């Protein structure tokens, strides 16, 4: 390269700077950027002050330095760029060709300096420069668009700093103008779309308007799509989309969006250099996705990933950076998420330290001050519960009140802040008994429950807490009013606006609502209403599916013209409700986004059509209650063959609600012994869970102890729940010598669903008769409505059978008895088809086709009950590593003539405690698919015991192989098979207490 004092050398070397810079923008090769910076520095030092090209070269130097800061994070590059720009502008004439570009660049540098240092002066200057520049007449269209872009970003930063809504409105206006200009093909189109997305996101954070947030997500997606071929700032656009997707996922409870955010965030981080300032933003957004998904699934490893990402993001953020406190807040959220699920003190201690740091780092007039104080209140409350000394609740109350006072009345965060205040006041009331605390807490909860602008999810939680607090303090009727409010809002949470798995997770917020509702109705003397409330607050996703599969005899008789539209729409709704996510996971990011957008639109359209069609149907005479909650008269009719017994436990008392086919007294209330409370049941369930794990321990001593502990749980369940119930029903003695056994249907609520009620009893030698299985035949049902649905199904006709055995699934322990079990079933059920056929292997497709083709299905295989994601619970076939047979593959089915499914597999009835009332487990999935009878298991079962029980079951069902199976004898057959196994090994309950019957 020629020396700078030779003719043409300046332009030649300056051309090299531009070439290296351009190459960097296309390749992100840091060596190109470094070469551009060093070459520009050499030129600027060598060119004299009066050189006609000096100002342009200063601009080139500043641009490369600014890019260096954005890529490598060196603030010294930014300050050097500022100096170069001021030098260029000071020496330029107002009409110089470089002046407008330098003005744009200076605005950008000043905005970045504010972000890095928190000093508002550079930001104020950037806004003033941009406004005055846009008023000039010398700007070309490209410089005008770039200056408008800088003004928009600066205004947004100022809004975030001050909370000034005028700045936000102006930023939105700028973004919209820029968007219309860029639609003509402006070079900064991705950046303009990105600005619009950021402005809309800021507007949502201030207003809580969901359509605005959806528009923001769309704009961010469009920005990424417009960054093709790859744009230098594509990763920044992807990080913005990750942040908005997390916000939308949290707002509507859509885990698919959170998974998309997690994948996209990981992709974006891979493209960023180690010192890139955007890396901290990417880690922050990715942390939110991890924490949200971990909160749904209780995935400890994902929680730790969230905390690590938040910590790394914070460490990469200077103390004075404008996002320092926000990233500190992310870390607090991640730490508290881990603490709540692990109770590990070190995470709480770290959260306390971080919360104090956040308060100290946030000025009193900062818009985020309220959120910071509220977070401190949450952490303080947890610390007070944990007994950390030096932290008093009165300080937490003060923090919460200050947070609320400093928040505008129309701010969407106000409801959350009120809930935080109510929570800490409730704790203060419990510890000190201050009546003022109780009154203030109830007022705050009730106010949130009645806020129509707040999400239904938050309102249900507030109403439930208000009801519990009222009930605890003897305010029964006030509690009942809050329960009715909550129950009226529950259908909005179950709305089909997200995929099925997301709705199941979203309904976790209703955990405990059913038990509180029942206890409240009982307290006001209305046990019948308690049963109605239990039906309306449990099995909500299941009920939505039943709506699409309900009997339409009345509709056909009273509105025949609406039958075909209803059938067509419910088929479409059911298909969309079970839309597979597996294909989407394999699509490129842009196609995933387009698919997600299409699904959102289709769901909204179908929801609207569904409601309109139901309104039309209900307008016809005689159909006013079509698909409405069943009244008591219809519910009690399902007890014609035996009572349905709801077991529900609350904080201080447990109850049995016994539904009978008696119009005069459809519901009998039995108050359980004083020991049957929610805390005690929780202890028994934990004891059972631990014992089940120890039953598979390699040490004989631990295995023996585990069996003894399970027997103790069965004994406790007998004395605290089952025996009083059976005595109340008149089943007080052993009936094993009788030809006809009485039947009962258990419908446990909440944690009571983990107790093996059918196996409760004293099973020691000589204790015969002191056990449920010696007095009645037990069945289970998730809800009475589910039972009614199955009883509407045809039970007549031939009974074709299929037997599926998978003893050797890949990467699974062998099931040595599975083949023997399959042969035994085939021998007792002549003509049964067997899978796999000789020389083949079972597959997802072959088993689904078999279920569609046969009335009876017996499956001997492994199963996985997925606690972290119950909808991913699955049966293990030979192709499970490629295409597992998951729970939703089963609920997607609508088998009109299915009769009996026998699941000889482990833990098919096991569920996540937070979703137990939703029956998100494999046994219930087969029931929802249409099987009138399902045999499932509560926990892992021994291979040989499973074979023996299955063999005894089919002997009963086929009269020792002399007749075709009679599915309607399934409950009696499994009852006798289990009793036989119990009598052989009473000291080994893991062999016989796990099998259950679900169905009619």
């Amino acid at each position: 390269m020629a020396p700078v004092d030779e003719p043409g050398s300046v332009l030649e070397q300056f051309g090299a700077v531009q070439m290296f810079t351009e190459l960097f923008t296309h390749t992100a090769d840091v060596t190109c950027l470094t070469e551009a910076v060093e070459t520009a520095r050499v030129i600027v030092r060598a060119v004299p002050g009066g050189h006609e090209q000096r100002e342009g070269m200063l601009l080139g130097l500043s641009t490369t330095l600014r890019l260096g800061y954005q890529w490598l994070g060196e603030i010294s590059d930014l300050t050097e760029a500022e100096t170069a720009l001021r030098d260029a502008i000071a020496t330029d004439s107002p009409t110089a060709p470089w002046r407008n570009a330098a003005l744009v660049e200076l605005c950008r540098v000043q905005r970045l300096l504010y972000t890095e240092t928190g000093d508002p002066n550079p930001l104020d200057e950037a806004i003033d420069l941009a406004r005055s520049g846009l008023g000039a007449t010398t700007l070309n269209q490209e410089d005008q668009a770039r200056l408008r872009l800088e003004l928009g970003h600066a205004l947004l930063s100022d809004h975030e700093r001050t909370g000034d809504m005028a700045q936000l409105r102006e930023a939105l206006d700028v973004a919209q103008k820029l968007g219309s200009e860029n639609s003509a093909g402006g070079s900064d189109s991705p950046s303009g779309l990105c600005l619009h997305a950021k402005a809309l996101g800021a507007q949502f954070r201030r207003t809580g308007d969901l359509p605005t947030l959806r528009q923001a997500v769309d704009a961010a997606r469009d920005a990424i799509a417009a960054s093709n071929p790859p744009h230098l700032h594509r990763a920044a656009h992807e990080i913005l989309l990750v942040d908005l997707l997390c916000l939308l996922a949290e707002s509507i409870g859509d885990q698919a969006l959170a998974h998309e955010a997690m994948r996209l965030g990981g992709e974006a981080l891979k493209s960023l250099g180690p010192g890139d300032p955007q890396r901290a933003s990417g880690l922050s957004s990715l942390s939110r996705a991890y924490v949200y998904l971990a909160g749904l699934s209780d995935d400890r490893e994902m929680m730790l990933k969230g905390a690590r990402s938040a910590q790394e993001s914070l460490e990469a953020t200077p103390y004075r950076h404008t996002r320092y406190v926000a990233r500190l807040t992310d870390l607090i959220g991640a730490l508290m998420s881990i603490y709540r699920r692990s109770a590990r003190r070190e995470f709480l201690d770290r959260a306390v330290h971080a919360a104090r740091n956040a308060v100290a780092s946030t000025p009193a007039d900062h818009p985020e001050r309220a959120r910071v104080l509220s977070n401190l209140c949450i952490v303080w409350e947890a610390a007070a519960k944990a007994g950390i000394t030096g932290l008093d609740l009165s300080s937490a109350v003060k923090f919460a009140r200050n947070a609320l006072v400093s928040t505008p009345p129309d701010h969407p965060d106000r409801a959350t802040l009120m809930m935080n205040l109510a929570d800490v006041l409730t704790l203060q009331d419990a510890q000190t008994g201050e009546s003022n605390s109780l009154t203030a807490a109830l007022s705050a909860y009730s106010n949130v429950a009645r806020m129509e602008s707040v999400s239904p999810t938050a309102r249900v939680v507030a109403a439930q807490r208000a009801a519990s607090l009222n009930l605890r303090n003897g305010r029964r009727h006030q509690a009942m009013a809050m329960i009715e409010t909550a129950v009226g809002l529950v259908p909005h949470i179950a709305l089909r606006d997200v995929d099925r798995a997301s709705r199941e997770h979203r309904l976790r917020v209703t955990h405990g609502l059913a038990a509180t509702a029942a206890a409240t109705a009982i307290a006001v003397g209305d046990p019948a209403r308690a049963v109605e409330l239990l039906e309306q607050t449990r099995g909500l996703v299941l009920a939505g599916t039943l709506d699409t599969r309900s009997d339409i005899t009345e509709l056909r008789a009273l509105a025949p013209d609406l039958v075909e539209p209803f059938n067509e729409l419910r088929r479409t709704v059911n298909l969309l409700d079970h839309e597979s996510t597996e294909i989407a996971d394999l699509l490129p990011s842009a196609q995933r986004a387009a698919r997600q957008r299409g699904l959102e639109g289709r769901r909204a359209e179908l929801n609207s059509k569904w409601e309109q069609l139901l309104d039309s149907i209900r307008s016809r005479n005689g159909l006013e209650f079509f698909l409405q909650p069943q009244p008591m008269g219809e519910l009690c009719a399902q007890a014609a063959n035996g009572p349905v017994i709801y077991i529900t436990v609350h904080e201080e008392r447990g109850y049995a609600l016994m539904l009978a086919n008696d119009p005069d007294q459809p519901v009998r209330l039995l108050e359980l012994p004083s020991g049957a409370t929610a805390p005690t049941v929780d202890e028994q369930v934990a004891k059972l869970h631990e014992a089940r794990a120890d039953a598979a321990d390699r040490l004989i001593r631990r295995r023996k102890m585990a069996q003894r502990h399970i027997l103790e749980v069965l004994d406790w369940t007998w004395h605290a729940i089952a025996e009083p119930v059976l005595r109340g029903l008149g089943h007080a003695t052993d009936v094993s010598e009788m030809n006809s056994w009485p039947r009962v249907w258990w419908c446990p609520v909440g944690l009571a669903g983990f107790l093996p009620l059918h196996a409760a009893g004293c099973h020691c030698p000589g204790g015969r008769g002191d056990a449920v299985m010696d007095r009645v035949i037990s069945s289970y049902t998730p809800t009475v409505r589910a039972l009614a649905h199955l009883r509407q199904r045809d039970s007549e006709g031939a009974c074709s059978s299929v037997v599926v055995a998978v003893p050797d699934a890949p990467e699974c322990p062998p099931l040595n008895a599975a083949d023997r079990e399959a042969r035994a079933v085939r021998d007792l059920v002549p003509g049964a088809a067997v899978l796999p056929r000789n020389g083949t292997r079972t597959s997802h497709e072959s088993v689904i086709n078999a279920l569609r083709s046969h009335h009876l299905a017996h499956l001997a295989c492994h199963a996985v009950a997925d606690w972290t994601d119950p909808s991913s619970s699955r049966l293990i076939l030979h192709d499970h590593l490629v295409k597992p047979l998951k729970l939703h593959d089963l609920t997607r089915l609508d088998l009109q003539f299915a009769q009996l499914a026998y699941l000889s597999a482990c833990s098919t009835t096991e569920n996540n405690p937070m979703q137990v009332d939703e029956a998100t487990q494999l046994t219930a999935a087969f029931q929802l698919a249409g099987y009138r009878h399902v045999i499932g298991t509560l926990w892992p079962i021994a291979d040989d015991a499973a074979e023996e029980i299955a063999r005894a079951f089919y002997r009963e069902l086929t009269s020792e192989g002399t007749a075709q199976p009679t599915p309607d004898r399934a409950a009696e057959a499994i009852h006798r098979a289990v009793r036989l196994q119990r009598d052989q090994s009473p000291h080994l309950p893991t062999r016989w207490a796990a099998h259950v019957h679900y169905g009619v």
Side-chain angles (χ1 to χ4, degrees), residues 441-489:
L442 286 170
S443 175
Y445 283 138
S446 301
N447 286 338
V448 174
R450 296 188 179 103
M451 286 182 179
E452 294 188 1
S453 60
V454 175
S455 72
T457 300
R459 294 176 68 189
V460 166
V461 172
Q464 180 184 347
R465 291 181 186 174
S468 292
L469 193 55
N470 273 311
L471 191 61
R472 196 180 307 144
N473 288 276
R475 305 180 180 198
R476 297 172 297 167
H477 295 287
Q478 293 92 328
M480 195 65 200
M482 283 290 99
I483 285 296
E484 296 292 359
T485 296
V487 173
L489 291 165

Side-chain angles (χ1 to χ4, degrees), residues 661-837:
N661 189 25
D662 181 352
D664 296 327
Q665 191 182 8
V667 180
R668 289 178 54 200
L669 172 66
L670 175 67
E671 191 171 295
L672 298 175
S674 59
T677 64
T680 310
V681 168
D682 195 11
E683 290 173 7
Q684 293 296 319
V685 169
K687 182 177 180 178
L688 177 64
H689 187 70
E690 184 179 353
R692 283 166 37 196
D694 288 346
D697 196 273
R698 63 184 181 85
L699 296 177
I700 295 176
R701 176 179 56 80
R702 289 180 69 91
R703 294 203 301 271
K704 287 183 176 180
M705 184 67 72
Q707 299 291 346
R708 186 155 61 248
H709 285 169
I710 293 173
L711 288 171
E712 289 170 0
V713 172
L714 297 180
D715 184 76
W716 181 90
T717 305
W718 169 251
H719 289 101
I721 299 175
E723 194 280 333
V725 168
L726 295 186
R727 185 165 18 93
L729 291 170
H731 305 311
T733 58
D734 183 355
V735 296
S736 57
E737 303 304 322
M738 297 177 61
N739 293 326
S740 178
W741 284 70
R743 290 192 63 184
V744 299
W745 276 261
W746 299 102
C747 191
V749 178
L751 280 175
F754 287 94
L755 294 174
L757 296 165
H758 68 290
C762 176
H763 297 283
C764 56
R768 193 175 182 85
D770 290 337
V772 171
M773 64 179 66
D774 294 328
R775 299 189 186 184
V776 295
I777 294 175
S778 292
S779 297
Y780 289 85
T781 184
T783 62
V784 171
R785 184 181 176 189
L787 192 61
H789 173 73
L790 293 175
R791 284 176 173 162
Q792 293 170 351
R793 301 223 155 193
D794 189 3
S795 63
E796 302 293 329
C799 186
S800 64
S801 306
V802 64
V803 180
V804 180
V806 189
D808 54 351
E811 299 186 16
C812 292
L815 292 174
N816 298 320
D819 277 335
R820 294 198 307 270
E821 181 179 325
R823 287 194 297 271
V825 175
R826 183 193 59 199
D827 291 343
L828 289 164
V829 186
V834 177
L835 291 179
R837 297 181 178 88

Side-chain angles (χ1 to χ4, degrees), residues 496-747:
R496 297 187 191 90
D497 59 337
V498 293
D499 64 59
R500 187 183 186 89
S502 295
R503 294 206 312 283
E504 289 165 347
H505 282 295
R506 187 165 65 185
L507 283 163
R508 289 160 67 109
V509 300
T510 65
H511 175 68
L513 175 60
T516 302
T520 304
I522 290 167
V524 298
D526 195 348
R529 182 57 181 154
V531 167
E532 291 175 342
L533 291 171
L534 288 173
E535 288 293 305
Q536 293 171 35
T537 53
R538 300 162 61 252
L540 299 169
V541 175
L542 180 149
T545 302
L546 295 182
D547 283 346
T548 68
R549 302 175 185 181
S550 58
D551 181 74
I552 57 170
T553 302
E554 285 188 339
L555 180 64
R556 188 172 281 111
L558 299 175
D561 58 310
L562 296 179
V563 169
E564 187 53 37
F566 180 73
N567 277 335
E568 181 62 32
L569 184 57
R570 68 177 179 172
R571 277 194 295 268
T572 305
V573 167
N574 189 57
L575 285 172
L576 184 61
D577 197 31
H578 288 89
E579 185 82 18
S580 174
T581 61
E582 293 174 3
I583 296 175
D585 292 341
L586 301 175
L587 294 174
S589 180
Q591 293 182 36
R592 279 203 309 267
R595 183 179 182 276
Q596 180 65 29
R597 208 180 311 194
L599 284 174
E600 289 172 4
R602 286 170 61 198
R603 288 189 184 112
E605 179 185 5
L606 287 178
N607 281 338
S608 176
K609 287 183 177 179
W610 180 259
E611 292 303 319
Q612 290 173 15
L613 184 55
L614 287 185
D615 287 343
S616 297
I617 292 172
R618 291 166 184 164
S619 69
R620 304 293 182 90
N621 288 335
L623 293 171
E624 295 84 357
F625 301 104
F626 184 77
L627 295 189
Q628 295 279 29
Q630 290 178 295
M632 181 51 63
E634 293 182 17
L635 291 173
C636 69
Q638 298 306 317
N641 298 326
V644 178
I645 307 160
Y646 298 87
I647 302 297
T648 178
V649 291
H650 203 240
E651 296 169 3
E652 298 178 356
R653 181 60 69 183
Y655 304 95
L657 292 157
M658 297 176 284
L659 183 68
N661 189 25
D662 181 352
D664 296 327
Q665 191 182 8
V667 180
R668 289 178 54 200
L669 172 66
L670 175 67
E671 191 171 295
L672 298 175
S674 59
T677 64
T680 310
V681 168
D682 195 11
E683 290 173 7
Q684 293 296 319
V685 169
K687 182 177 180 178
L688 177 64
H689 187 70
E690 184 179 353
R692 283 166 37 196
D694 288 346
D697 196 273
R698 63 184 181 85
L699 296 177
I700 295 176
R701 176 179 56 80
R702 289 180 69 91
R703 294 203 301 271
K704 287 183 176 180
M705 184 67 72
Q707 299 291 346
R708 186 155 61 248
H709 285 169
I710 293 173
L711 288 171
E712 289 170 0
V713 172
L714 297 180
D715 184 76
W716 181 90
T717 305
W718 169 251
H719 289 101
I721 299 175
E723 194 280 333
V725 168
L726 295 186
R727 185 165 18 93
L729 291 170
H731 305 311
T733 58
D734 183 355
V735 296
S736 57
E737 303 304 322
M738 297 177 61
N739 293 326
S740 178
W741 284 70
R743 290 192 63 184
V744 299
W745 276 261
W746 299 102
C747 191

Side-chain angles (χ1 to χ4, degrees), residues 175-467:
Q176 288 163 357
K177 287 180 180 177
L178 190 63
S180 64
E181 291 173 2
N182 285 331
S183 64
S187 62
D188 276 348
S189 179
S191 300
L193 289 164
C194 191
L195 171 64
H196 195 203
K198 286 181 69 175
L200 289 168
Q203 186 179 33
F204 167 77
R205 287 182 173 91
R206 184 58 183 80
T207 65
D209 182 56
L210 272 175
T212 298
L213 180 55
R214 292 185 188 278
Q215 290 177 41
V217 169
D218 288 345
R221 291 192 194 282
D222 291 341
I224 294 171
S227 305
N228 208 1
H231 192 281
L232 180 63
H233 301 299
R234 181 186 177 95
H237 302 160
E238 289 174 338
I239 290 168
L240 172 61
L241 178 56
V242 170
D243 189 55
L244 294 170
L245 287 171
C246 288
L247 202 56
L248 185 55
E250 292 161 357
S251 299
I252 66 174
D254 190 338
Q255 66 171 350
L257 292 173
H259 279 293
E260 182 186 356
M262 183 176 68
R263 286 191 296 265
L264 187 61
E267 292 169 7
L269 284 173
K270 288 177 183 177
S271 68
L272 296 174
D276 194 315
Q278 286 294 332
R279 186 170 182 80
S281 296
L283 286 165
S284 174
S285 297
L286 187 59
S287 168
R288 287 183 60 191
Y290 281 141
V291 170
Y292 176 74
L293 288 169
L296 296 180
S297 63
D298 295 324
D299 186 329
R300 300 286 176 87
E301 183 55 38
M302 191 173 287
M303 288 178 199
L304 291 172
K305 282 183 179 180
R308 284 194 293 266
S309 296
Q311 183 69 49
E312 191 177 344
S313 172
L314 184 66
E315 289 172 355
T317 305
Y319 176 74
R320 296 188 179 280
H321 194 285
T322 56
R323 304 302 299 166
Y324 180 81
V325 172
R327 288 165 192 167
L328 197 55
T329 300
D330 290 338
L331 177 60
I332 294 167
L335 293 171
M336 289 302 294
S337 177
I338 299 173
Y339 171 70
R340 290 189 190 101
R341 289 162 178 82
S342 69
R344 289 171 59 181
R345 174 71 177 270
E346 65 265 30
F347 292 102
L348 179 58
D349 290 340
R350 288 175 61 191
V352 170
H353 176 75
R356 284 172 163 161
N357 187 3
V359 172
S361 305
T362 311
D365 60 347
H366 195 281
E368 291 297 305
R369 177 78 175 180
R371 188 172 297 177
V372 169
L373 286 171
S374 186
N375 282 335
L376 182 60
C377 167
I378 293 170
V379 174
W380 223 263
E381 179 188 356
K385 286 181 179 177
I388 295 180
T389 57
L391 303 178
D392 62 286
L393 281 176
S394 60
S395 296
V397 171
K398 182 180 71 173
F399 297 144
R401 290 192 191 280
N402 289 343
L404 196 57
V405 168
S406 60
T407 304
D410 61 342
H411 198 287
D413 286 349
R414 191 168 179 82
T416 301
L417 300 176
M418 290 180 72
M419 287 286 287
N420 292 344
L421 173 60
D423 288 345
V424 73
L425 285 168
T426 300
L427 181 61
Q428 187 177 54
D429 169 61
Q431 291 190 357
T432 66
E434 292 184 19
S435 59
N436 290 339
S437 299
L438 172 63
T439 302
L442 286 170
S443 175
Y445 283 138
S446 301
N447 286 338
V448 174
R450 296 188 179 103
M451 286 182 179
E452 294 188 1
S453 60
V454 175
S455 72
T457 300
R459 294 176 68 189
V460 166
V461 172
Q464 180 184 347
R465 291 181 186 174

